[in-house]
Amino acid sequence: MNEMLEISDSESNRDGIPALIVSPSCVRRIKQLASKQLCGDDQTTYLRVFVDPGGCSGFEYKFELSHDETEIDQEEDIIFANDGARVVVDTESLDILRGSTIDFVQDMMRSSFSVVDNPQSESACGCGSSFAVKNFDANPDNH
């Protein structure tokens, strides 16, 4: 299982760009964390990925592990599932994340979920969690 997993559905794949690409290490980590959850079970655990305004570059990636199914909004959230791992993204965040890879990275300093290769991002800060969106000011939906 060394290849990237493209997780999308018909509504979230637009213009030939996959909604999200989830790395095998991300899938493995979600499943590991789900199996260790004290509340809920590994079938209800999911990773929520979203974008918040803030950070030194304008926007920040946020990740939350949850097992509370009532927090999933059937109208606003899209659930991506593969090999027992679930990733939940709200539709507004998906517009900014479209085509990105959700990864789990480990190095000597930290281990964390990460968004890499975001085609919607034009610049990022040194820590990698904050970024600027391409043509943000030109998009009337952002005003």
Side-chain angles (χ1 to χ4, degrees):
M1 191 165 160
N2 291 332
E3 63 191 53
M4 297 301 224
L5 302 173
E6 179 182 310
I7 301 178
S8 63
D9 63 21
S10 59
E11 291 181 28
S12 58
N13 193 335
R14 183 176 9 161
D15 299 327
I17 299 173
L20 289 178
I21 300 167
V22 179
S23 73
S25 63
C26 182
V27 170
R28 278 191 302 274
R29 187 62 178 158
I30 292 169
K31 290 169 68 172
Q32 287 170 349
L33 292 170
S35 70
K36 294 179 182 180
Q37 288 289 310
L38 298 176
C39 303
D41 62 45
D42 61 345
Q43 299 301 310
T44 61
T45 302
Y46 59 90
L47 177 68
R48 178 174 289 282
V49 180
F50 59 101
V51 176
D52 257 355
C56 54
S57 296
F59 292 94
E60 293 180 289
Y61 300 118
K62 300 284 187 166
F63 303 90
E64 292 178 357
L65 198 65
S66 180
H67 65 273
D68 188 351
E69 299 277 332
T70 63
E71 292 179 358
I72 298 174
D73 184 328
Q74 297 300 320
E75 293 181 22
E76 293 293 321
D77 290 331
I78 298 175
I79 302 170
F80 304 96
N82 191 291
D83 196 27
R86 295 188 305 159
V87 176
V88 176
V89 181
D90 64 272
T91 55
E92 284 187 31
S93 294
L94 183 60
D95 285 341
I96 296 173
L97 292 168
R98 186 173 305 284
S100 300
T101 298
I102 310 299
D103 198 6
F104 181 77
V105 294
Q106 291 181 288
D107 58 35
M108 293 183 69
M109 299 301 285
R110 68 179 182 169
S111 59
S112 63
F113 291 103
S114 179
V115 175
V116 295
D117 300 329
N118 183 346
Q120 314 309 320
S121 171
E122 68 180 0
S123 64
C125 67
C127 69
S129 65
S130 177
F131 66 100
V133 176
K134 288 180 183 176
N135 300 320
F136 181 77
D137 291 331
N139 187 342
D141 293 337
N142 297 323
H143 298 284

